[in-house]
């Protein structure tokens, strides 16, 4: 089974980010996409940075949802978490449970 996890995070990462990345790296059948505006603290083959600004994420959300996205600050991205796979569908393409 081939799975992916999409995380959207803008701004400074928490101190535990390197540990989170290391734990993610142990799941060889899962790709972790980290969408955000900062470089990752460490590099692992299955933890992939997807550079994007908050404005670009807002634009993509509005295009996908065909409505105005309320993203006044980065924290509001959590409101869209159930829709990450839809908003960023090119990241989820080719993984199990893809809707195509």
């Amino acid at each position: 089974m081939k799975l992916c996890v999409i995380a959207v995070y803008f701004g400074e990462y928490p101190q535990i980010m390197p540990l989170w990345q290391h734990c993610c790296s142990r799941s060889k059948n899962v790709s972790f996409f980290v969408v955000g505006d900062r470089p990752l603290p460490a590099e692992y083959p299955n933890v992939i940075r997807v550079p994007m600004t908050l404005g670009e994420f807002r634009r993509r959300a509005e295009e996908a949802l065909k409505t105005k996205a309320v993203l006044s600050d980065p924290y509001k991205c959590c409101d869209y978490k159930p829709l990450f796979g839809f908003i960023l569908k090119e990241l989820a393409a080719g993984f199990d449970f893809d809707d195509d």
Side-chain angles (χ1 to χ4, degrees), residues 3-65:
L3 305 172
C4 77
V5 172
I6 300 172
V8 176
Y9 201 96
F10 295 101
E12 185 105 9
Y13 293 120
Q15 287 183 326
I16 64 164
M17 188 62 168
L19 178 61
W20 180 82
Q21 284 185 264
H22 176 74
C23 291
C24 292
S25 75
R26 309 288 289 176
S27 299
K28 301 299 182 195
N29 64 330
V30 181
S31 293
F32 295 85
F33 294 103
V34 181
V35 177
D37 57 355
R38 304 282 172 111
L40 293 170
E43 290 188 30
Y44 294 98
N46 67 325
V47 182
I48 302 129
R49 178 177 181 249
V50 180
M52 189 176 298
T53 64
L54 178 61
E56 184 179 353
F57 181 76
R58 180 185 308 111
R59 180 186 59 75
R60 294 180 71 159
E62 290 176 347
E63 286 176 6
L65 302 172

Side-chain angles (χ1 to χ4, degrees), residues 42-94:
E43 290 188 30
Y44 294 98
N46 67 325
V47 182
I48 302 129
R49 178 177 181 249
V50 180
M52 189 176 298
T53 64
L54 178 61
E56 184 179 353
F57 181 76
R58 180 185 308 111
R59 180 186 59 75
R60 294 180 71 159
E62 290 176 347
E63 286 176 6
L65 302 172
K66 298 184 184 355
T67 190
K68 184 168 173 53
V70 181
L71 287 166
S72 53
D73 63 78
Y75 181 76
K76 296 302 288 176
C77 289
C78 67
D79 294 346
Y80 294 85
K81 190 180 281 189
L83 300 168
F84 286 171
F86 181 70
I87 294 169
L88 303 164
K89 61 183 162 195
E90 74 280 359
L91 297 179

